[in-house]
């Protein structure tokens, strides 16, 4: 499958590498293509490539938004709505603002970054997921407790949610994905980040995830 | 032990009943004492009593704030800072506002209800906990998966947090309590409520809790 990844930081590179290893043709979209030379050399696979945000959006049958949240809308506008139209956009970004020292979410409570993206690109099928775990766990859930922990998914299009649930299982081995319904539920998983930070501080590492015991 | 519970709704009555059964002398503070006639008849135990917010605060060596969040500060002011001074206040309340139809938190992100209470009553040792589970689970964690799931605790006074951790184990049988540190971490557990609501909607019941798989 052709996959375009918008954003070339830690999450984008980790997702990109895992997807190439699964046999997919992955183009990472970035503001600075030379920044990805090292990634391309490390991965050393013709199915990996780098380009602009627009190149990545054109390339992908499916798009992943792995930008830092503060730059998400700008990057997606640069990618171009015509290049995103009708496609599934897997949104893993978080609305984090560290500008005042302590962490705050720049959108919260009555709105979410997932919803902002869906409103800005109404013809795109935004599916929020993978935003509640560290990058290493996103692509390798079985490395922790044999995968016995949960992921959440939000999005207005039920068929798109189900399609992405299938990809998460096939690509990375996620076993338990809790469908939270429409994109307004992205508020709840974005707001979980506040607890992730505090649990991280308490445990001293990020190799953990939540399980809904029921 | 003498325990004063501020708030006589579902959480207050459930906590009160469980504590009386553990042998404690519990006074539920309420705006409307006759409302508690039924609770007193059901429990049928001399160690249970009802009174004003002030009566409950005077009675308790330890205080539990189980009010609906919107009325928390008003109820605690009615209880009287002199009656609370120097005591541990276990705060289980949530800053929920349903006034505009959909749920929103009336304080979030850069502040929390736990912090508001601590600022309003600087001589009280506010310890936020039990605010991430349904009332029935608060007092009976072993009813779900033999207690193999987590509770969180926040508060500025480390000795008070440890004392409350001891009570949670002794009173209700909580086995795993994650210490998140100072009262600013109450933001993170109050914000978890957004996810609790969505998971509740997805599962169709509230008999669940989170476990931090690590």
């Amino acid at each position: 499958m052709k996959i375009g990844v918008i954003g070339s930081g830690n999450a984008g590179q980790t997702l990109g590498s895992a997807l190439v290893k699964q046999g997919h043709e992955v183009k990472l979209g970035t503001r600075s293509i030379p920044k990805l030379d090292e990634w391309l050399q490390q991965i050393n696979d013709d199915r990996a490539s780098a380009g602009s945000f627009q190149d990545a959006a054109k390339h992908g049958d499916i798009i992943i938004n792995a930008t830092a949240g503060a730059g998400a809308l700008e990057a997606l506008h640069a990618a171009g709505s015509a290049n995103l139209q009708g496609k599934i956009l897997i949104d893993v970004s978080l609305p984090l603002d560290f500008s005042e020292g302590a962490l705050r979410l720049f959108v919260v409570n009555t709105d979410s970054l997932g919803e902002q993206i869906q409103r800005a690109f109404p013809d795109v099928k935004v599916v929020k997921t993978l935003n509640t775990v560290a990058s290493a766990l996103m692509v390798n859930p079985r490395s922790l407790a044999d995968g016995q922990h949960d992921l959440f998914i939000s999005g207005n299009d039920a068929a798109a949610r189900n399609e992405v649930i299938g990809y998460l299982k096939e690509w990375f081995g996620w076993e338990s994905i809790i469908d939270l319904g429409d994109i307004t539920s992205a508020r709840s998983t974005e707001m979980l980040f506040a607890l992730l930070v505090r649990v991280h501080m308490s445990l001293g590492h990020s190799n953990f995830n939540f399980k809904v015991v029921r």
Side-chain angles (χ1 to χ4, degrees), chain A:
Chain A
M1 186 178 281
K2 289 185 169 184
I3 302 171
V5 179
I6 310 294
S8 57
N10 180 42
Q13 291 189 19
T14 303
L15 288 162
S17 299
L19 291 166
V20 168
K21 279 172 196 148
Q22 288 288 316
H24 299 289
E25 296 171 49
V26 178
K27 190 181 285 292
L28 254 63
T30 178
R31 273 184 192 82
S32 164
I33 296 174
K35 181 187 153 186
L36 288 172
D37 286 350
E38 199 182 322
W39 179 71
L40 288 168
Q41 279 167 21
Q42 276 180 350
I43 199 161
N44 190 27
D45 190 309
D46 287 347
R47 291 168 296 196
S49 62
S52 66
F53 293 140
Q54 201 169 29
D55 294 336
K58 276 184 187 157
H59 168 85
D61 298 319
I62 288 213
I63 312 297
I64 298 177
N65 172 33
T67 58
L73 282 168
E74 190 190 331
L76 291 168
H77 280 297
S81 62
N83 300 319
L84 300 171
Q85 192 166 12
K87 296 179 183 174
I88 286 175
L89 175 69
I90 301 176
D91 176 28
V92 311
S93 67
L94 285 165
L96 308 186
D97 176 4
F98 294 96
S99 65
E100 288 166 36
L103 166 74
R104 57 182 282 276
L105 304 183
F106 62 77
V107 54
V108 69
N109 199 15
T110 55
D111 197 5
S112 63
L113 185 54
E115 289 164 88
Q116 288 184 338
I117 294 170
Q118 184 63 82
R119 287 197 301 272
F121 300 93
D123 297 330
V124 172
K125 296 167 190 163
V126 178
V127 177
K128 187 112 206 175
T129 192
L130 291 171
N131 58 315
T132 55
V133 291
S135 305
L137 268 183
M138 286 182 187
V139 301
N140 195 7
R142 286 178 185 145
S143 66
L144 175 68
D146 204 28
Q148 298 305 300
H149 43 87
D150 296 313
L151 200 62
F152 303 98
I153 195 164
S154 306
N156 288 340
D157 188 311
R161 292 200 307 273
N162 282 331
E163 195 175 326
V164 173
I165 287 171
Y167 295 141
L168 292 166
K169 293 182 178 189
E170 183 192 321
W171 293 345
F172 308 130
W174 280 97
E175 288 176 22
S176 175
I177 301 158
I178 298 179
D179 188 339
L180 297 178
D182 67 65
I183 193 67
T184 64
S185 65
R187 296 171 197 176
S188 68
T189 57
E190 292 178 8
M191 288 164 78
L192 182 63
F193 190 77
L195 185 57
L196 295 181
V197 169
R198 286 295 188 152
V199 171
H200 184 157
M201 286 166 66
S202 177
L203 299 184
H205 64 81
S206 64
N207 190 34
F208 67 86
N209 189 22
F210 290 94
K211 179 179 173 64
V212 178
V213 178
R214 51 198 124 154

